[in-house]
Amino acid sequence: MNALLQPQFQSKIHRATLARCFEREAETLPRERLERLQLKRLRASLENAWENVPLHRSRMRAAGVEAPGDISLRDVAALPFTTKSDLRDQYPFGLFARPREQIARLHASSGTTGKPTVVGYTGKDIDTWSQLMARSLACAGAHSGDVIHNAYGYGLFTGGLGAHYGAERLGATVVPASGGMTERQVALLQDFGARVLCATPSYALNIAEVAEREGVDLRSGALEIGVFGAEPWSEALRRELESRLGIRAVDVYGLSEIMGPGVAVECEAQDGLHGWEDHFLFEIIDPESRRALPDGEPGELVITTLTKEALPLIRYRTRDITRITRALCSCGRSHLRIDRITGRNDDMLIIRGVNVYPSQVEAVLLGLDGIAAHYQLVVERRGSLDELTIEVETQRALSSHEERDLERKVAHHVKSMIGLSAGVAAKKPGEVPRSQGKAVRVRDLRPKA
């Protein structure tokens, strides 16, 4: 049992945490009261979907639902799923529960694999989002009055504006840096004295690298907290970022279809992300059988929105692989915790019968000497078989002999720790592309069907 959970420690920890809560009552609701609130909001959200979204109404009817206001929390497992393809099929506004004239803002995915997924917000939705992101930043350790350097991308991507509005709601001073112009960002982090950095973990790594190259030690400055999300990242990368930036690196989770960043976040204990259950209903399912799984078992995260007006979503399949626990956190917050996302089941690679996520490879690479924290996985079809090559960047220029030794060492560790046979290609410092936002970890060169 974690010493922090023992009774003699709990009261002290809880009192300290309660002083830092942005919404003390909401964040510490007893489980019984939290579930009563969930049920009330679930019924209202289902009625909103029933009355205003034909697809949801027809699917609920097909599942035997005739009165959404009578649904119980247990009944949710019998409701139909919603998927990203539904948003694409209903492009652009077919899943909206409000007419376009009542939509205050639109965000959208890049649409690189087809039509983008479009999400809409009423004014109340934006207010709710701002409040939840402020709550999340406070949970991560940010304070009113902090300087928050926001290096998430602005625009149709929800990360930038989501963090921005939340930081302002918290009462912080926001630096809307967005991505790119990394040398200037390093200077601004110093000059403005940011205590909090918001970015993708891969871009934060880029900032650390540029600072080191320019002889700037960000560890000796005001920076204390990194709030990182928008892509899966490993515990090894957390340690790398904490060491190189001199910060506590905190994981934040969200997805545009559900809201944006701020759906869940780690507290200062860094022991799972608190999912805000007063606004979202979380489930874990087996992605193959679609069967609901009990707490503690890994599977696909499914989320039902409870307070969204413009885009209520019922049992949305996130494709993110994780598990949940309702055990009390040492911080005293009552909301369940979600394990670090290990990957997306649609990002999983199957190489000669071995299932692997990029974050698993990352965890192996960052534990090896001589390897920089930049890599790409290249998948090719050779004959009838798929082949994986791991491109790793060395920390310094190596001789040909040293490169071959390093490649053999990496291949051995990947095989022994993951069970995957892969080719390895050593790259010189700076050769692996740097991220200005979300990292591109996989280059799939296989012919398209």
Side-chain angles (χ1 to χ4, degrees), residues 10 38 56 182 225 301 312 338:
Q10 286 186 10
Q38 283 185 309
H56 287 320
T182 309
I225 298 168
L301 182 64
I338 303 167

Side-chain angles (χ1 to χ4, degrees), residues 288-429:
E288 299 300 325
S289 69
R290 303 185 179 188
R291 177 177 58 89
L293 298 175
D295 291 3
E297 288 197 28
E300 180 184 341
L301 182 64
V302 171
I303 304 177
T304 298
T305 62
L306 301 180
T307 55
K308 286 280 291 292
E309 289 187 333
L311 187 64
L313 288 180
I314 302 168
R315 303 194 78 202
Y316 185 77
R317 294 189 62 176
T318 68
R319 302 293 181 179
D320 291 323
I321 303 301
T322 184
R323 56 186 175 182
I324 60 176
T325 178
R326 289 176 174 82
L328 181 66
C329 181
S330 60
C331 76
R333 291 178 177 87
S334 57
H335 296 246
L336 61 70
R337 282 171 290 153
I338 303 167
D339 262 7
R340 174 187 295 280
I341 303 297
T342 57
R344 295 173 54 85
N345 56 15
D346 49 0
D347 285 344
M348 183 179 72
L349 300 173
I350 304 176
I351 306 296
R352 298 194 176 193
V354 178
N355 298 351
V356 62
Y357 293 102
S359 60
Q360 291 176 284
V361 178
E362 176 182 284
V364 174
L365 298 180
L366 295 188
L368 299 177
D369 292 335
I371 300 292
H374 301 283
Y375 68 94
Q376 281 195 332
L377 310 182
V378 182
V379 187
E380 299 175 277
R381 177 74 47 77
R382 294 174 185 166
S384 60
L385 296 175
D386 291 338
E387 299 283 353
L388 174 67
T389 301
I390 305 171
E391 296 183 346
V392 298
E393 187 173 292
T394 61
Q395 291 179 336
R396 61 177 179 83
L398 302 178
S399 67
S400 298
H401 176 71
E402 289 174 319
E403 284 184 355
R404 288 193 296 273
D405 283 347
L406 182 67
E407 289 167 352
R408 283 194 292 267
K409 181 175 75 171
V410 171
H412 170 75
H413 280 274
V414 170
K415 175 65 175 178
S416 63
M417 298 182 74
I418 303 178
L420 175 68
S421 296
V424 178
K427 298 292 182 178
K428 293 178 173 56

Side-chain angles (χ1 to χ4, degrees), residues 235-272:
E235 191 64 26
L237 183 52
R238 189 211 296 272
R239 292 193 298 270
E240 179 92 5
L241 289 167
E242 290 186 333
S243 172
R244 296 175 73 171
L245 291 171
I247 58 172
R248 182 176 68 254
V250 177
D251 199 359
V252 66
Y253 175 75
L255 57 165
S256 297
E257 301 93 305
I258 296 301
M259 183 181 74
V263 172
V265 69
E266 286 182 319
C267 64
E268 294 174 72
Q270 296 175 305
D271 190 22

